[in-house]
Amino acid sequence: MAADRTFCLRDVVLPDGRTGQDVFVEAGRIAAVGPRLAVPDGVPSLDGGGWLLSPPFVDAHFHMDATLSHGLPRVNASGTLLEGIALWGELKPLLTQQALVDRALAYCDWAVAKGLLAIRTHVDVCDDRLLAVEALLHVKRTVAPYLDLQLVAFPQDGVLRAPTALANLKRALDLGVDVVGGIPHFERSMAQGAESVRVLCELAADRGLPVDMHCDESDDPLSRHIETLAAETVRLGLQGRVTGSHLTSMHSMDNYYASKLIPLIAEARVHVVANPLINITLQGRHDTYPKRRGMTRVPELLAAGVNVGFGHDCVMDPWYSLGSGDMLEVAHMGLHVAQMTSQAQMRACFDAVTCNNAAVLGLDGYGLAPGCHADMVLLQARDPAEAIRLRATRLLVVRDGRVVARTAPAVATLDLPGRPAAVDWTLRR
Ligand code: FE2
């Protein structure tokens, strides 16, 4: 009789291109990876069918307190960031803890079904009741057996601009929220934005916590809080523990300034998270033609050695009325917006929703190497580019050595004279 959470998954292809691989999982950990593995008698086998096996998807930027609230109390008519923030302000007094928990748990179900097993979510701390903080801390504990949830204390209305925000943020950290958030471009002046970055980075340094700020989510090329964030990271010795999210103003910046800024971000080892689905819709709203894309400079940051991840940011909320927790949809949009169409760049887009995001979250034991947690997803695709092209079906999702979700393969049945009876969209070689 084999031990619990022990099996051998036979014949998969790995994201690095190795084909015909077996993965031996023993007691919830990956014990061995290689071709035609010999395993002890009694270990059950699963047929990988030659499909792509990946470590699970990771979302480095989400708003779980707002998710699935689309239409409450009304929809965003203009589709802009500012109407979204105003709409969230209308919804906040109407929130109940039970409704927040129910929506978040429903989203976590969607996520697991899509092979998304780790999420960093921002949680608004500007409501003095801290209802959303308490709700998401409860959800974090509830989903811990099957999904890693990391919380960021996010002062949506500005940590200096909103009178109780800083005190609330500290209360949220005291309650167990993991990461210090911020929104410097939403403060009342550039100077106050820079001051907010200093205050929040010092708070994180004092408490030994990571930082993840919404930073320069604007079309204003002079919104340069990322420079302050990187400089504060170096000053306080926070290298590797700080993330700049969105950074959309970099799209509009002067090229000379950007050429000076990107090496500073690299030197500070600040992680960057772009949110392509959201920023391709929110940015450039005041442009006539040509309209700016608004996503930060992903290929240039990667070329400088910066760790860049892609986040989902929103699903069915005041800012975005689409989405399903599918990180391959995020990668698909990021690839298009950044024009990352070479084979290596498509692979980099797959990394941006898997291992790069895992590095942002600082996940321990992530990956498919021996010794890693047996968390993985089997995709109905032959390689990462095909997975992105098809937003491939998640045939199996494994967490801690247990299959936690299955989806039937996507195959269409045709009824055409003289044509094959079934068609799938993968490229069989
Ligand atoms: Fe966000």
Side-chain angles (χ1 to χ4, degrees):
M1 183 68 185
D4 186 34
R5 296 172 295 135
T6 296
F7 61 88
C8 188
L9 180 59
R10 300 280 186 189
D11 186 22
V12 297
V13 57
L14 301 180
D16 62 12
R18 279 180 288 164
T19 57
Q21 301 293 300
D22 297 345
V23 177
F24 176 34
V25 169
E26 193 171 31
R29 292 266 179 177
I30 294 173
V33 178
R36 293 179 297 282
L37 289 179
V39 297
D41 290 344
V43 170
S45 279
L46 290 173
D47 180 10
W51 298 118
L52 174 65
L53 184 73
S54 171
F57 296 106
V58 180
D59 186 358
H61 189 107
F62 195 61
H63 293 265
M64 200 172 279
D65 49 358
T67 197
L68 308 193
S69 67
H70 177 66
L72 298 176
R74 61 183 176 83
V75 296
N76 182 337
S78 67
T80 59
L81 173 63
L82 292 180
E83 184 175 346
I85 293 174
L87 184 48
W88 176 237
E90 292 171 36
L91 177 56
K92 265 195 275 191
L94 309 177
L95 293 172
T96 67
Q97 192 165 356
Q98 192 58 48
L100 283 159
V101 168
D102 290 347
R103 287 196 288 262
L105 288 175
Y107 183 76
C108 289
D109 289 349
W110 293 12
V112 171
K114 294 287 189 186
L116 169 55
L117 298 185
I119 301 173
R120 174 180 279 185
T121 179
H122 296 255
V123 52
D124 189 357
V125 297
C126 288
D127 173 358
D128 292 341
R129 299 171 300 169
L130 292 186
L131 265 190
V133 170
E134 288 179 1
L136 291 194
L137 283 166
H138 172 75
V139 169
K140 176 180 171 166
R141 289 189 293 272
T142 304
V143 302
Y146 53 90
L147 190 149
D148 295 310
L149 194 58
Q150 213 174 68
L151 304 187
V152 185
F154 176 46
Q156 172 76 74
D157 301 331
V159 75
L160 301 181
R161 182 173 175 170
T164 57
L166 182 58
N168 288 353
L169 190 147
K170 290 177 178 172
R171 285 168 54 212
L173 298 177
D174 291 342
L175 289 170
V177 169
D178 309 280
V179 182
V180 176
I183 186 165
H185 59 278
F186 200 67
E187 303 291 350
R188 298 311 297 272
S189 66
M190 288 293 177
Q192 285 186 359
E195 177 63 13
S196 78
V197 173
R198 278 190 286 275
V199 166
L200 291 165
C201 285
E202 286 175 2
L203 178 63
D206 285 347
R207 294 192 179 220
L209 294 175
V211 175
D212 189 339
M213 288 194 194
H214 283 65
C215 198
D216 304 325
E217 190 179 6
S218 155
D219 292 325
D220 176 3
L222 298 178
S223 186
R224 296 175 169 186
H225 297 299
I226 178 58
E227 178 188 289
T228 307
L229 183 62
E232 286 299 295
T233 299
V234 173
R235 180 176 75 86
L236 295 165
L238 296 174
Q239 291 93 333
R241 290 165 43 192
V242 174
T243 300
S245 284
H246 294 288
L247 307 187
T248 59
S249 75
M250 284 182 69
H251 185 93
S252 300
M253 281 175 183
D254 170 73
N255 286 333
Y256 176 77
Y257 176 71
S259 76
K260 190 163 166 280
L261 173 64
I262 289 173
L264 174 63
I265 296 172
E267 181 191 324
R269 288 192 280 124
V270 168
H271 305 279
V272 169
V273 178
N275 296 290
L277 287 167
I278 305 312
N279 290 125
I280 196 65
T281 52
L282 291 182
Q283 305 314 124
R285 282 277 174 161
H286 303 291
D287 293 356
T288 54
Y289 287 95
K291 289 183 187 288
R292 284 167 290 177
R293 293 168 184 234
M295 192 167 80
T296 195
R297 302 187 185 207
V298 174
E300 293 78 9
L301 286 159
L302 286 169
V306 176
N307 181 49
V308 181
F310 289 161
H312 206 316
D313 201 4
C314 303
V315 170
M316 304 285 289
D317 70 7
W319 296 272
Y320 189 62
S321 56
L322 298 166
S324 63
D326 185 351
M327 294 307 292
L328 286 172
E329 190 180 347
V330 175
H332 190 267
M333 181 59 76
L335 182 159
H336 284 78
V337 175
Q339 300 178 321
M340 293 174 67
T341 52
S342 74
Q343 291 298 307
Q345 287 178 318
M346 288 196 279
R347 169 69 202 278
C349 289
F350 191 85
D351 289 348
V353 293
T354 51
C355 51
N356 295 8
N357 278 349
V360 173
L361 270 66
L363 294 181
D364 192 33
Y366 177 88
L368 294 178
C372 290
H373 294 289
D375 298 347
M376 56 192 86
V377 55
L378 186 68
L379 297 157
Q380 190 187 2
R382 302 292 174 190
D383 59 48
E386 188 167 78
I388 293 172
R389 177 173 69 85
L390 298 172
R391 274 75 83 213
T393 300
R394 282 66 167 173
L395 300 168
L396 290 177
V397 180
V398 175
R399 165 73 171 193
D400 197 25
R402 283 194 189 89
V403 176
V404 292
R406 296 173 190 268
T407 305
V411 179
T413 302
L414 297 182
D415 191 10
L416 302 174
R419 303 294 299 166
V423 61
D424 74 55
W425 292 267
T426 60
L427 191 60
R428 297 201 174 258
R429 298 181 183 92

